Amino acid sequence: MSTSTLPEIVTDPAVTTALAADLTAAGFTVDGVDALWGADAAEALHRGNRVPALRALAARDRSALGTLATLFVLGLPVERTAADAAFPTVGVDGLVGAGILRSEDEVLRPAVDLRPYAFVDDAGAGSWWIVSDLGELALGAALDEEHVLGIGGATTTLSGLQVPVPVRRVLDLGTGCGIQAMHARRFADEVVATDISRRALDIARFNAELNGLDGIEFRLGSLFEPVAGERFDRIVSNPPFVITPRSEGVPSYEYRDGGMVGDALVETVLRGLADHLEPGGTAQLLGNWEYHWGVDGLDRVRAWFADTDLDVWVVERERQDPNRYAETWIRDGGTKPGTPTFDHLVGAWLDDFQQRRVTGVGFGYVVVRKPRTGGPAGLRRFERVPETLGSNPAGLGATVARVLDAAEWLAANDDVALASAHLRVAGDVTEERFYWPGNDDPTVMTLVQGGGFGRRVDADTALAAFVGACDGELSVAAIVGALAQITGVDEQALAADLLPAARDLVLDGLLTPA
């Protein structure tokens, strides 16, 4: 039985509509809140320091916006009179009844975190208000195991990774506060959002209502159980992938721990995709995978797809050693370093890793597509891309779509067809050249991708000349023939070098079929 003391969230359309009106009237937006205390205080808040924001508010602000920011962004109480003025439409009692505020005599305290959120995707700019549970800064203590997480780095990463192509049905597996389902709804006729946490579904439902979003169905259950026998055009998931020791005294947070040993939950989710994707359907997910003694982490992920016909692209962005991984997630739960509890938990994590021969943990993205027709997979790509490349996740969804389209095109075109194709250099590609002093010929030439993952491809003279000639007018074979004639090299040998390189550049998006 749960011992949680978190408030019950009650969704009432009358309350959410009135609350939205009050938030709008107060100017409760990202820009509005940041302007209250200035850029320096806003940056301090991101680091968990609210003192500069408090000093700025105390010096000059008594507005409804200041009251809302104090309550929901800083997580601090306000007097009843200030709360009454800030919520003239919904009323304080309505928010207490909905589980949004707590009333203590003449003082109102936040029961949840509620803050503005702004974004830009292929459908344009948007903004919402997102309810989640109070964080460590507001609580002054470790998180409850039923904590529902709000907007974080993983949120923006996965929302940016979603393919911005309209589809009929999307599954958001493990919806949490509902943010991915809300993003998915911008490109889908209907969304099914599932979670094992009833509280998460209550909050997700409240968020959808607060922001006037329909077309999202919320279902309770574990992993694919709530959608057994159903298929979707797209699946998105930020699953509870954190690797947590299954030992006594180690908290298990619903928002991040799937209750399985090691990375078994991620494996289960990935193995289940094939049964729930429509032909041509795609999936975009985040995940962790373990490195074991003598076994590469990406090789383990590759084995999970070995018996499927799915197109798979796995991008590892980071790898942490056991010590750092343990410290990261123990602090994430609100346990401070230097305390006996922190030391105990680190020991539990390291014991678990040692017993299971884990040497590290990788983190990254998984993109999957179910081919429209039967046959072998056309894309099996498992790569490590440094965090410094493609650090802005906002446009990665379009990159994913281009890579999937390019993989499909390449699978349908053998080298004979490729030689007949006309290619064009992508608009975001530039070339860097470096020279030794006094030399006319460059010593290093690098093709640089401005968008996507910002890939950098070293090129020799032949490849640089080939790419430079790809303007869509000449076929690949014609360009290769001209280069062979100009340089005096064997045309077949040059084609054997350039065609594989051209395939890689098409897959990476530096070249596109004309």
Side-chain angles (χ1 to χ4, degrees), residues 275-289:
D275 293 334
H276 294 280
L277 282 173
E278 294 279 11
T282 66
Q284 297 91 56
L285 308 94
L286 304 182
N288 272 172
W289 37 86

Side-chain angles (χ1 to χ4, degrees), residues 11 172 175-182 191-195 197-209 213-221 226-227:
T11 300
D172 177 15
T175 192
C177 71
I179 186 63
Q180 300 304 332
M182 294 167 66
V191 176
V192 176
T194 70
D195 208 289
S197 165
R198 189 176 299 277
R199 176 173 179 74
L201 292 179
D202 289 343
I203 287 179
R205 187 178 293 108
F206 190 97
N207 283 329
E209 290 259 0
L213 294 177
D214 58 7
I216 304 176
E217 180 185 353
F218 299 96
R219 300 185 191 178
L220 180 68
V227 293

Side-chain angles (χ1 to χ4, degrees), residues 152-492:
T155 302
T156 54
T157 296
L158 182 57
S159 63
L161 200 65
Q162 290 195 37
V163 174
V165 175
V167 293
R168 189 175 69 86
R169 296 187 81 211
V170 174
L171 170 64
D172 177 15
L173 189 72
T175 192
C177 71
I179 186 63
Q180 300 304 332
M182 294 167 66
H183 275 290
R185 180 66 177 87
R186 287 168 66 82
F187 299 96
D189 295 333
E190 58 184 83
V191 176
V192 176
T194 70
D195 208 289
I196 198 172
S197 165
R198 189 176 299 277
R199 176 173 179 74
L201 292 179
D202 289 343
I203 287 179
R205 187 178 293 108
F206 190 97
N207 283 329
E209 290 259 0
L210 178 62
N211 292 284
L213 294 177
D214 58 7
I216 304 176
E217 180 185 353
F218 299 96
R219 300 185 191 178
L220 180 68
S222 177
L223 299 181
F224 293 105
E225 290 175 2
V227 293
E230 298 182 51
R231 292 182 182 271
F232 298 84
D233 303 298
R234 182 171 303 137
I235 297 173
V236 297
S237 183
N238 180 14
F241 57 70
V242 175
I243 297 163
T244 304
R246 301 302 160 200
S247 56
E248 186 176 354
V250 177
S252 179
Y253 297 102
E254 286 185 339
Y255 74 89
R256 72 182 202 191
D257 301 321
M260 298 185 185
V261 175
D263 54 16
L265 183 130
V266 174
E267 178 182 357
T268 300
V269 171
L270 297 184
R271 288 185 181 274
L273 293 174
D275 293 334
H276 294 280
L277 282 173
E278 294 279 11
T282 66
Q284 297 91 56
L285 308 94
L286 304 182
N288 272 172
W289 37 86
E290 294 180 337
Y291 284 71
H292 292 177
W293 291 0
V295 182
D296 185 273
L298 289 181
D299 286 342
R300 297 184 67 250
V301 181
R302 184 181 287 108
W304 299 343
F305 292 101
D307 57 352
T308 75
D309 64 348
L310 298 174
D311 291 331
V312 182
W313 180 24
V314 178
V315 178
E316 183 176 279
R317 302 307 306 272
E318 182 182 9
R319 180 181 175 185
Q320 291 187 341
D321 61 67
N323 287 304
R324 185 179 171 197
Y325 189 86
E327 293 166 7
T328 296
W329 292 109
I330 294 168
R331 286 197 300 266
D332 177 79
T335 302
K336 301 288 188 182
T339 64
T341 301
F342 185 89
D343 293 346
H344 166 75
L345 292 176
V346 170
W349 246 275
L350 297 183
D351 286 346
D352 173 64
F353 283 145
Q354 185 176 35
Q355 290 165 9
R356 296 187 301 103
R357 303 166 65 88
V358 176
T359 59
V361 180
F363 168 81
Y365 321 144
V366 180
V367 175
V368 168
R369 178 176 57 190
K370 188 177 182 67
R372 292 181 175 86
T373 58
L379 176 64
R380 287 292 169 95
R381 194 177 200 190
F382 301 82
E383 61 176 333
R384 295 177 177 88
V385 177
E387 288 183 276
T388 53
L389 297 184
S391 56
N392 179 12
L396 290 184
T399 299
V400 168
R402 286 194 295 269
V403 169
L404 293 176
D405 288 344
E408 190 171 41
W409 186 85
L410 289 168
N413 288 271
D414 60 14
D415 280 352
V416 174
L418 176 61
S420 300
H422 294 244
L423 302 179
R424 180 178 290 112
V425 182
D428 63 346
V429 175
T430 57
E431 182 184 285
E432 293 178 353
R433 295 191 173 207
F434 297 89
Y435 297 80
W436 288 114
N439 284 8
D440 294 331
D441 297 323
T443 56
V444 178
M445 291 176 287
T446 305
L447 303 173
V448 181
Q449 184 181 46
F453 285 112
R455 295 182 188 272
R456 301 176 62 87
V457 179
D458 289 336
D460 59 16
T461 302
L463 182 58
F466 172 80
V467 171
C470 286
D471 59 3
E473 296 295 325
L474 298 176
S475 69
V476 169
I479 296 173
V480 171
L483 289 176
Q485 185 175 8
I486 292 171
T487 58
V489 301
D490 181 75
E491 184 173 341
Q492 289 187 339

Side-chain angles (χ1 to χ4, degrees), residues 39-51:
D40 290 343
E43 286 297 320
L45 274 175
H46 285 300
R47 300 190 300 271
N49 174 13
R50 60 190 175 192
V51 173

